[in-house]
Amino acid sequence: MHKLRPVLLLGIISVLLSSIGHAVFLYQWSRGHFMVGINDGLSQMMPFKHLLFEQYTRGEFFYSFDFGLGAGTFSELSYYFSTSIVFLMSVVIVAILKTINIVQTTDVLFWANAAVFISIIRLAAILFITTRLFMYMKISKPAALLGASLYGISGMYFRHVTYWEFFADAFLWLPILLFGVEKIFREQKPGWFLTAVAVSMIDNFYFAYINFLLTTLYILFRLFIPLQSDEQDRKKAFMSFVIAGLIGAGISAISFIPAVYAYLNNHRPAFQQEIPWVDLTDNILFDSRFIVLPAIFVLLLFCFFLYRNKTFRLFALLGIVGIIMHHSPLIGSAFNGFSAPQYRWEYFLSLVIGGAVAAAFDQLPKFTVRRLLVASVFAGFCFALYASWDENFAIDSQASLFAIGSLLLTVLLLFLYARFKKTVFKGLLMVFLFAWALLFVNLYQLEKILEDGDIAQVNEELMTGAEYDDPEIDELLELIHAKETGGPYRIEWMEGVRNNTPIVQDFQGLSAYSSILNKNLLFFYLYDLEIDMERESVSRYATLGNRANLYSMLQGKYLIRPNGDNNIPFGFTESHSSENYTVYENEHVLPFARSTSAVYQEQQLAEMPVLMREQAMLEGIVLDQAQDGESLAPSDDITVGYEIAEVNATYDGSLLKVTDRLGGLTLNLDNPVEDNADLFVSFHLESRAADEGFALQVNSYETTRKSNQSVYKTFVDDLTIRVPADEQIDIRLPEGTYELTGIDLYSENYETLLDEAEQPDRSSNLLIDGSKVNLDYSNAENDEYLKLSIPYEQGWRAYVNGQETEVLKADYGFVALHLEPGDNDISLIYRPPFFKTSLILSVLSAIIGVLFTFYKRKA
């Protein structure tokens, strides 16, 4: 017990420091405000926690039909929380609290309330672990705790945890990795490094990549800066890292391989903007959004005598390299998988800053007034230099006064200690540095997060109101659910731009937003069917563009639209209404399972209008396999002739110049189409503006397009817009210059859809239970294929009458099976791709890891 007291004391102090560091958000929480970002926090973090908690506590770990059109959540949400160790621990604790009725509900509001408390516990663990790391490196306990505080109680931590909560978990694993590195160098024991590698790769593949790059940098420096005389030689150390790293990677296979598969099976257009080598605009001494260097660290960098201490030298040199890296967008791109530059790795800079300050604190007796004055001159020059570089610098701003004041107070306290060598001044300096860290981070929360990041708006009123979880919509959803007693149905409704609204409001929808999505669905939306989503953006899909054929094929049975919206798809009639919204019901929904023998090839349809691809999906099955296919009727039957008229614009057949606030082209139809028909207009559209998004109107339909410089632009500029039948098509754009080519106009009378809707549903006993789907199908027509409204993923396995059968990719992104004549008993089960292989590899690697660690201990 006596040995545990220091550990318990450190744990208590860590919790206390963490709580004070969260003072602003604790106060916000007491007022009904939450530590959650207004954008991705509300649109992704909270919905995904809610979704996964409900899944896991039901015993379902792999798949959900509630996420978009259906997805393998274990792999696709591995970037977020599905394998996050902090989240998994939270699930266990919350499930226990719910079982004993301490927690009543676990909706998104619950997770928003819990965010600040989970963060306090996480940060306390970070402080505890990092302090132990520095203590292991022969730094005194008070100095080690100070260094850990400069690492954890930092603006970057609170930025990460507020906007993208799972980012903050990386703060935990980095010091454990470095501890593992030190154990190999100092004691030739690989167990900690092996475990840290495995944990990192299990927890989050993206931050494992970042942490491994940072750890590699640390190892490279350590190879040339030994910290004690009896360290393992470089060659043996290198081999230990390689072997332990490979074993750790093998242990993580059960999580890491499905995660990497999901990443590779994702689609995000390549970042096309130029990335500069150097960017000095971020002021890291005064008011950076990412990291502000403590004044004492800047001062210590110029205390040249400190470099004789190897621990300080290691951390100081890494800090200098980190500062250089911070000012290079190209490095930011490398840490983001060579995509758009992101400042997500700078917590490493906070860690080495903490290590340098901690190591220097133990060297304070070596300070002299002369040494301090020299360092102060250089530090002052650095502050003056950064102030002169910054065009927005203001000497009287809060950030400037705080930075300069902290430098002056640090110099004063160091001067008093160097001059008088009184312990009291050393103690005052330490107290001041702790106070600086705590005060700075709370001011950072107020200015950079609550005010600049609009987080002050995130409260219970917002999350239970019309802009997030509208009670009026909830009532309409209850009416829909009460009406439905049979098979699957989907509802199109999305609150603003929050594509994960279906998760928040607990219904199966037609939208999803995630950094990793099934590329088959993204290609289906962006390229194969050119479905406009009313808003261009990457990493999401939403709506079906008012295209009745697609709604019917994907069980899109209900729409919720604002009252007065007249752009309703064919076949939908009013079902319910409220003060502000109307529910429309689809009268022509097709079965979840349909059979056919008519085969069309993707290659055959590649040059045809997207409307012909819809027809092929209705009449038969579209496959990507090389085999003979059916012939479609000529597309001339649906082509509509037109004459072009310019409106406040000039057009030469490719370049459109809009000369007024709003203008464009009007397509006057040669012949009117049927009243119950729809028109589909297709064209290629690009803005020539360097950095300006724009709105596009086609009759009553409106959509938006991103700036050419936006990191969220899809660069998919072939558009197909559906509008109700009319005598003309008005294409309207704001003033500017555009490339507009390939204008084609088609009509759809829905005869094929009506014919298919009259066919009987030959499926029965349909049961969808998470990652399992079972049904019976009566193949009375002896059709060859069965199509299912299940997004195609490699992890599906299918059985027909007890025999495993091939799972085909059909209709550009969905599942199909070979049928047998007569009755078919069909079952499908989803497991993450390569699940069995990964599980075997993890178990074998764990056994090898235990043996390897035991062997190294005995050696």
Side-chain angles (χ1 to χ4, degrees), residues 320-331:
I320 293 169
V321 171
I323 292 170
I324 296 170
M325 290 165 57
H326 172 82
H327 285 300
S328 173
L330 199 64
I331 296 295

Side-chain angles (χ1 to χ4, degrees), residues 75 104 421 486:
S75 51
Q104 302 299 321
K421 300 299 181 182

Side-chain angles (χ1 to χ4, degrees), residues 463-759:
M463 294 189 66
T464 58
E467 295 182 4
Y468 189 71
D469 187 4
D470 192 342
E472 184 177 353
I473 297 295
D474 286 334
E475 292 181 5
L476 292 174
L477 291 171
E478 287 180 9
L479 292 173
I480 293 172
H481 297 324
K483 182 178 180 180
E484 289 293 328
T485 58
Y489 61 94
R490 294 193 173 274
I491 303 168
E492 182 181 283
W493 162 250
M494 193 172 75
E495 181 54 61
V497 296
R498 301 193 186 279
N499 295 59
N500 289 322
T501 295
I503 300 174
V504 174
Q505 296 188 306
D506 291 319
F507 66 89
Q508 290 191 341
L510 294 162
S511 61
Y513 170 36
S514 171
S515 291
I516 294 178
L517 291 168
N518 183 348
K519 74 176 180 183
N520 296 303
L521 289 178
L522 293 175
F523 275 58
F524 176 82
Y525 267 83
L526 296 173
Y527 306 104
D528 300 320
L529 275 299
E530 295 179 9
I531 303 168
D532 186 79
M533 306 180 208
E534 300 182 0
R535 172 176 175 251
E536 181 188 18
S537 191
V538 298
S539 301
R540 67 194 76 208
Y541 59 83
T543 86
L544 289 171
N546 291 331
R547 290 159 65 170
N549 291 333
L550 299 180
Y551 284 109
S552 295
M553 284 188 281
L554 296 177
Q555 290 73 58
K557 192 169 184 180
Y558 296 96
L559 308 176
I560 301 178
R561 297 286 174 85
N563 291 339
D565 186 345
N566 297 319
N567 199 346
I568 306 302
F570 170 84
F572 282 80
T573 58
E574 184 174 334
S575 173
H576 303 94
S577 63
S578 62
E579 180 180 356
N580 297 297
Y581 299 96
T582 300
V583 177
Y584 298 90
E585 183 175 354
N586 188 355
E587 297 180 340
H588 311 301
V589 178
L590 302 181
F592 179 82
R594 294 192 299 135
S595 63
T596 184
S597 291
V599 179
Y600 304 97
Q601 296 301 315
E602 286 187 12
Q603 185 176 1
Q604 170 197 5
L605 301 171
E607 301 302 321
M608 290 190 176
V610 294
L611 191 54
M612 295 300 294
R613 300 172 202 170
E614 287 188 10
Q615 294 292 321
M617 292 164 61
L618 281 170
E619 294 177 359
I621 184 173
V622 180
L623 297 175
D624 61 352
Q625 298 178 343
Q627 63 183 63
D628 294 335
E630 303 286 340
S631 297
L632 278 175
S635 60
D636 292 343
D637 295 345
I638 62 172
T639 302
V640 177
Y642 61 87
E643 295 290 333
I644 293 179
E646 300 164 341
V647 179
N648 297 328
T650 60
Y651 183 59
D652 64 3
S654 62
L655 203 64
L656 174 68
K657 295 183 179 180
V658 178
T659 56
D660 204 346
R661 184 183 65 84
L662 193 68
L665 302 179
T666 292
L667 311 182
N668 294 302
L669 275 62
D670 292 343
N671 298 296
V673 297
E674 302 173 38
D675 290 339
N676 65 341
D678 279 343
L679 292 171
F680 288 69
V681 57
S682 297
F683 48 83
H684 179 91
L685 176 66
E686 293 183 52
S687 172
R688 290 292 182 89
D691 188 11
E692 187 175 343
F694 62 95
L696 165 67
Q697 298 178 21
V698 180
N699 288 12
S700 61
Y701 186 84
E702 297 183 6
T703 186
T704 60
R705 308 293 294 171
K706 293 289 185 186
S707 154
N708 291 326
Q709 298 300 314
S710 173
V711 297
Y712 301 106
K713 183 170 178 60
T714 64
F715 294 98
V716 178
D717 299 312
D718 291 326
L719 308 178
T720 296
I721 307 295
R722 168 268 178 197
V723 293
D726 206 335
E727 295 179 357
Q728 64 186 41
I729 299 292
D730 298 321
I731 301 173
R732 297 293 180 263
L733 294 159
E735 184 176 359
T737 303
Y738 306 87
E739 180 183 332
L740 179 60
T741 57
I743 304 174
D744 291 304
L745 191 58
Y746 308 99
S747 67
E748 167 65 289
N749 59 18
Y750 296 108
E751 289 183 0
T752 305
L753 173 60
L754 294 174
D755 288 343
E756 291 296 321
E758 290 179 357
Q759 303 302 313

